[in-house]
Amino acid sequence: LCLCCNMWLCWIATTVVAVFLYVLWLVLFLLSVALVAICWKTCILAFFLNFGKATFNCIAGDPTPTPTPTPPPPSVSIAAPTTGTYFPDGDTVAITFRATATEPDGTPLAGSALLWERYLGTFPPTYDRLGTGTEIAVTLPHLPVDVAAGQPSSHTVRVTATGRNGVKADTDVHVSVGHIQID
């Protein structure tokens, strides 16, 4: 008689546990369906409250932003002087620097779109502004340390072209100025 009671008790316990697990699964399923519906309604409501200008997508999950393409830089080159040119009196007589620069579509750049600078030989790099335009005429100093050593001073002159889109490109030329003293 006792063994039979244990068997009925076991069946009742199994049935209660099975019903509990089924009810628990049903509650979780209904909760997840409700949460999805709430999320969709929130997303759609936010979209309409922003008058269709929302920056999110209700359908896609966590989209990565599309990178903004960088516009192409202008092209720039120094026409004169060429690298390595020596100007014995470049510290007293102006040296003419000429550059050409164009937008990617071929439109020429001029005026303040071209900035000329002289590298001062420091770290971090610093530059001395020489002028703007497609052509400038400047003297470059014969540095005291080079005068004392009887050698010319080397200078790096850079021109930077700034396009209409704000993108910059630059190039430079290396020249020497000052008389060499021969003992």
Side-chain angles (χ1 to χ4, degrees):
L1 187 67
C2 217
L3 287 174
C4 187
C5 288
N6 286 339
M7 191 183 296
W8 282 105
L9 185 61
C10 190
W11 278 102
I12 291 172
T14 302
T15 305
V16 168
V17 168
V19 168
F20 174 75
L21 289 177
Y22 178 75
V23 169
L24 181 64
W25 175 84
L26 188 61
V27 167
L28 290 176
F29 176 76
L30 292 175
L31 185 62
S32 66
V33 169
L35 286 176
V36 167
I38 290 170
C39 289
W40 270 90
K41 286 178 184 176
T42 304
C43 185
I44 292 169
L45 181 64
F47 181 78
F48 285 115
L49 288 178
N50 280 329
F51 303 106
K53 298 177 186 172
T55 57
F56 51 85
N57 187 341
C58 292
I59 298 170
D62 232 4
T64 56
T66 304
T68 306
T70 304
S75 63
V76 60
S77 64
I78 296 176
T82 58
T83 288
T85 304
Y86 169 60
F87 297 94
D89 53 358
D91 56 334
T92 56
V93 177
I95 303 167
T96 301
F97 290 88
R98 280 190 305 277
T100 57
T102 56
E103 290 280 5
D105 66 2
T107 306
L109 293 172
S112 62
L114 290 155
L115 172 65
W116 293 89
E117 299 170 301
R118 178 177 63 95
Y119 175 59
L120 296 177
T122 59
F123 186 81
T126 55
Y127 293 86
D128 182 27
R129 182 185 168 121
L130 299 176
T132 59
T134 55
E135 184 174 306
I136 63 166
V138 295
T139 58
L140 299 173
H142 191 190
L143 303 174
V145 66
D146 295 325
V147 171
Q151 62 187 19
S153 296
S154 295
H155 295 281
T156 300
V157 176
R158 172 177 79 175
V159 62
T160 303
T162 305
R164 289 184 306 259
N165 55 17
V167 177
K168 297 180 180 195
D170 62 62
T171 188
D172 55 38
V173 63
H174 306 282
V175 296
S176 300
V177 298
H179 289 286
I180 301 172
Q181 292 179 355
I182 301 173
D183 292 334

